[in-house]
Amino acid sequence: MIDKSMDLSGGLSTDTALELLSDARRRELLMALLERDLRDDGDARLPVENLAESGGRDLELRLHHSHLPKLESTGVVDWRRNANEIRTGRRFDELRPLLRLLRDHPDVLPGDRP
C-alpha cells in the first residue's frame, strides 16, 4: 500500500504539506514553532496551554483531537503529552520553506493567514 503522505523520496508529499497548512490554527501553531525554533537554536518548545488560551475550550478540544494528532502523525511536530508541550518533529524542516514563504511574503499571497 502506498503512503500518500510521503513523496517517492520518503519526504512529505506536496499534498500533505499543503493540507497541514490549510487550517489557520495549524498555520498559526506552525508559525509560532518556526519563530521559537529560530530564537532557541533549534530546540523549540511550545506549551500546549499557550496555544489554546485565545480560543477557549473549543480550540483546546480541536487541538487535542484533530490538529496535534495530525501534525504528530506526519512527523512535523513531536507532541509530548506528559509535558503538555510540542517541539519541532523530524519532518519540520521539510515544511520550513513553505512556512518561510508564508511569513516573508504576506503581501503577495492570497487569503487570510496568521
Side-chain angles (χ1 to χ4, degrees):
M1 183 166 175
I2 297 173
D3 183 354
K4 294 182 181 181
S5 69
M6 293 187 220
D7 66 14
L8 295 176
S9 67
L12 284 179
S13 72
T14 301
D15 287 344
T16 298
L18 293 174
E19 180 183 340
L20 293 175
L21 294 170
S22 69
D23 182 86
R25 289 294 183 176
R26 281 197 301 269
R27 283 194 308 276
E28 185 179 325
L29 182 156
L30 291 166
M31 292 298 227
L33 205 50
L34 174 69
E35 294 306 318
R36 179 75 56 102
D37 191 51
L38 294 173
R39 277 197 318 265
D40 297 342
D41 296 325
D43 189 25
R45 299 175 191 195
L46 283 175
V48 173
E49 63 267 7
N50 289 6
L51 301 170
E53 66 188 20
S54 67
R57 182 76 176 140
D58 183 54
L59 177 57
E60 183 180 347
L61 289 172
R62 284 186 284 138
L63 281 170
H64 282 86
H65 295 284
S66 178
H67 300 313
L68 293 175
K70 182 177 286 240
L71 292 167
E72 183 181 46
S73 72
T74 58
V76 172
V77 302
D78 179 17
W79 181 17
R80 303 197 175 199
R81 288 169 179 84
N82 292 341
N84 203 29
E85 69 181 15
I86 60 168
R87 294 179 169 188
T88 55
R90 69 187 186 286
R91 291 215 146 93
F92 186 83
D93 285 341
E94 296 173 45
L95 204 55
R96 190 181 300 270
L98 287 173
L99 292 169
R100 285 183 174 159
L101 178 71
L102 291 170
R103 181 196 65 197
D104 296 344
H105 300 284
D107 55 328
V108 295
L109 295 170
D112 59 332
R113 285 170 305 289

